Amino acid sequence: MEIILLNNVKKLYDNELYASVIPTASLLHTLLQNDRSLATSELEYQVLLYYGNACYYERQYRVAIKHFNAALLMRKSMIRYKNVHLAAIENTCEQFGEIETRYRLATCYRDLGEHSQAVATLQALPAKSRTPKVNMLQAKLVQQGGSSNTTEAILAYKDVLRECPLAMEAIEALLELGVNGIEVNSLVVNASSVPKNIEWLSNWIKAHAQMYSRNHLEASKTFQRKSLYYYGNSTQAQLYLEMAAMINPHNWDAIMPLSVVYEYNQKLQGLDKLTAQMTNIHEFTSGHWFVMAQSFYAHGMLEKASSFAYKALTLNPRNVEAQLLRGKICLRTKRHKDGIHFFRAAQCVANYRFEVYKGLFYCYMGMKRCKEAQTMCALAVRYFRNLPRSYVMFARTLIHSSHPHPKKSAKKVIGKALEIDEYYAPAVALMAELCQAEGETQEAIALLKKQVINYPHYRLFTMLGDILAGEKDLNGALEYYTTALSMEPTYQRALEGVNALGKVSWSNNKNEQDTSMTSSTNQDEEWPIECDEPSIEAVELLSSPAVAHDDGESDTFSDPFWQDVDAELTN
């Protein structure tokens, strides 16, 4: 009878009726447990494997783990007593081999969040017998486990590439772990199975190596604009991300950054349209929940945004965008300690993202922990030497420093940002602001005109209008205000500028106009297009002698700190 039942279990399994396999295999397993005279080791071994694999397919992972472990223990016993049927069983069904059984057992542990058990399960296999998919799973488990010792993961990824040189996921993971791009490229292009002169692959590897080493500008050139989002150029990034999302509407690597860029650029209509597409889908992934969360965040519904971001992270704990969004929500609600937790979590997954250090900088400032804020500012400059965003953030804090030397050096720092990218809009706007403050009005105007010719933006046109209004060039000011409003009809500052032109007599009220201009640049909404810099209120809090600092310092930028960063800029 037990043989007939086993044949029926096998037939159900072969026809992929896994839900039916489970009760039938359970019945047979109970019979064997109750009557040990019927329970030969080879029969019990097969029942355990059919039972465990059926539970695996039906996602009953706890039950699957129990039976997989029992089967592996039974297999060890059969080897010990040299059971002649073992080889025949495993040859009949390749899913019953030890490698596949351990792979599925590790997958069950992984899906239940028990990563250490999953790694131990795979490590029990001899290194030479591990297949590429086993090595890939082991490498990902070690990497995602957050261990500082990444050697095991690197070796496993390299083993994958030796057999499957076009495993792009392994290539990207090695670059993310800091392996030299030249070494990775040689592993791939020197493989006998890869076509020669495959230039696009070498460029792909080079671009990812640049991106993970935080050289986002060079990466964007190699990628042909793919890294503009990381670089901080949200205006241009939007165009390319929209194109990528249009070509593949299910490309989450494009859709999630696109939702962030829409919120950043205040293109709420585009974000609402993107969100509407999500609501028509019944099965939600981590990406779906994130886009919904980003939409709620853009509309100021922070509690719902936090809830949906949490759901995104539940499905994918390595969703960097969701971690950063929860950090930003904490900043808005002044829960700085929680914000540090989320930004640190994002740092563990993507330490090449500038937003991590920017968010930590804000959090430490909000908590008046000035030494840590100082460290984050220094790290941003040192880690992102080729990224103008870090220099703009740093310069914005220097402008409001009470130390004379750092304050005078703000222009030097912005100059460094413009050396990297002469058209980086926040740097251009801040340099124009500094020139205007020092009485170099014509230099400010020339800088802004050069920028808007190549990269027109309504805020920069408005800034030009304000400067020209202050110089009594009413026609020029009106022209730039009008251009700004043609690009963004609801932009309040441009509307106020046009109204002021009609109401104020510039010849008699220049002092009043100058006062208006000064106050306008001190609002929380600053001129720089990308808004990567700390707000005026935040940097004044950081550097004001009136603030009671925890470490007893009267100013954030101590002499040793400034000398270290100044040396970085000089070198």
Side-chain angles (χ1 to χ4, degrees), residues 1-30:
M1 181 182 69
E2 64 278 0
I3 300 298
I4 296 173
L5 276 175
L6 179 63
N7 289 334
N8 276 277
V9 169
K10 182 180 183 303
K11 190 172 184 178
L12 290 169
Y13 187 86
D14 291 342
N15 285 280
E16 300 182 5
L17 300 175
Y18 303 120
S20 297
V21 170
I22 293 173
T24 311
S26 176
L27 174 63
L28 180 53
H29 185 254
T30 303

Side-chain angles (χ1 to χ4, degrees), residues 394-408:
F394 187 50
R396 181 62 72 175
T397 62
L398 294 179
I399 291 171
H400 298 277
S401 174
S402 61
H403 281 205
H405 181 52
K407 190 169 185 177
K408 290 178 182 178

Side-chain angles (χ1 to χ4, degrees), residues 430-450:
L430 188 53
M431 181 64 87
E433 189 178 322
L434 291 173
C435 288
Q436 188 185 7
E438 295 177 4
E440 301 171 356
T441 306
Q442 293 307 312
E443 287 81 352
I445 292 172
L447 194 64
L448 290 169
K449 282 184 175 179
K450 177 185 175 183

Side-chain angles (χ1 to χ4, degrees), residues 498-513:
V498 172
N499 292 334
L501 291 178
K503 294 178 181 178
V504 179
S505 172
W506 299 102
S507 58
N508 296 330
N509 297 287
K510 185 168 187 309
N511 289 335
E512 180 182 344
Q513 172 63 23

Side-chain angles (χ1 to χ4, degrees), residues 197-213:
N197 302 319
I198 187 165
E199 185 179 353
W200 67 266
L201 182 58
S202 295
N203 286 334
W204 188 89
I205 294 172
K206 178 183 176 183
H208 276 86
Q210 291 168 333
M211 183 180 76
Y212 288 119
S213 62

Side-chain angles (χ1 to χ4, degrees), residues 260 263 294 297 324-332 343:
V260 178
E263 186 271 328
Q294 189 66 45
Y297 176 79
L324 291 173
L325 179 58
R326 293 200 80 185
K328 290 194 290 184
I329 292 169
C330 290
L331 278 173
R332 280 231 193 148
F343 286 123

Side-chain angles (χ1 to χ4, degrees), residues 163-182:
E163 293 193 49
C164 304
L166 290 183
M168 312 296 271
E169 187 179 12
I171 295 172
E172 187 172 353
L174 283 172
L175 296 169
E176 186 177 352
L177 289 169
V179 179
N180 186 277
I182 296 174

